[in-house]
Amino acid sequence: MTTLNKGDKAPHFSAVDQNGTLRTLADYAGKKLVVFFYPKASTPTCTVEACNLRDNFAALQSSGYEVLGVSADGISAQKKFQEKQLLPYPLLADENLEVIKAFGVWGPKKFMGKTYDGIHRTTFLIDENGIIEKVITDVKAKIHSEQILG
């Protein structure tokens, strides 16, 4: 689904997180960044994925990564998700789909025989210079941190 590949420059983004704080790609200059896109806060698979990253957050940080989650949920849904699951990283509330579309993860999906547009669960690893070093399109929610670190 994504049009971005390893070696591409990550798109500039700016969106508010669950606390209303504006976050941009520039905020992470000089740091490695995991940007994971998920379809909807507080749904079963998204919760498993987010909690796997939470449970392995120390290992991700030891490897030099900051973590940022993104979905089209509003600030209040993101805040509730973050607080309920004790997520130690920010969640962007990209209601206008600007970040989602910039990373190319919005498009047709099928569920129960119906086709609709939505977010494709995808993770990008971005290096200290803003270059994509890995794109994970076949996200395995239960072992996602292993996919990132492996």
Side-chain angles (χ1 to χ4, degrees):
M1 174 72 240
T2 182
T3 55
L4 296 173
N5 298 297
K6 179 180 177 176
D8 290 345
K9 187 153 183 59
H12 170 74
F13 63 81
S14 105
V16 294
D17 68 13
Q18 75 283 351
N19 296 319
T21 303
L22 186 67
R23 305 268 180 176
T24 69
L25 179 62
D27 295 339
Y28 298 93
K31 300 175 185 175
K32 295 195 299 184
L33 180 62
V34 173
V35 180
F36 74 101
F37 291 88
Y38 56 97
K40 188 154 184 61
S42 300
T43 56
T45 305
C46 294
T47 299
V48 169
E49 179 184 12
C51 290
N52 174 266
L53 296 176
R54 174 201 65 203
D55 295 346
N56 294 284
F57 188 62
L60 291 164
Q61 286 193 309
S62 295
S63 294
Y65 286 107
E66 297 290 329
V67 177
L68 191 59
V70 184
S71 76
D73 295 293
I75 291 173
S76 63
Q78 296 290 43
K79 186 163 189 65
K80 182 178 176 187
F81 185 39
Q82 193 235 8
E83 288 177 349
K84 182 176 181 183
Q85 302 304 329
L86 304 174
L87 304 177
Y89 46 80
L91 302 175
L92 295 186
D94 189 25
E95 291 181 279
N96 59 13
L97 308 177
E98 286 182 16
V99 180
I100 292 161
K101 288 181 176 179
F103 276 82
V105 298
W106 181 262
K109 297 173 72 171
K110 282 189 177 183
F111 183 68
M112 297 180 72
K114 295 186 179 191
T115 301
Y116 64 97
D117 282 341
I119 298 170
H120 289 258
R121 188 181 310 277
T122 308
T123 298
F124 296 86
L125 307 186
I126 302 170
D127 74 11
E128 301 87 343
N129 301 310
I131 304 299
I132 297 170
E133 57 184 17
K134 185 175 183 180
V135 180
I136 303 169
T137 54
D138 185 24
V139 172
K140 307 281 189 230
K142 290 181 182 177
I143 60 164
H144 195 40
S145 59
E146 291 175 34
Q147 291 180 291
I148 293 166
L149 297 170

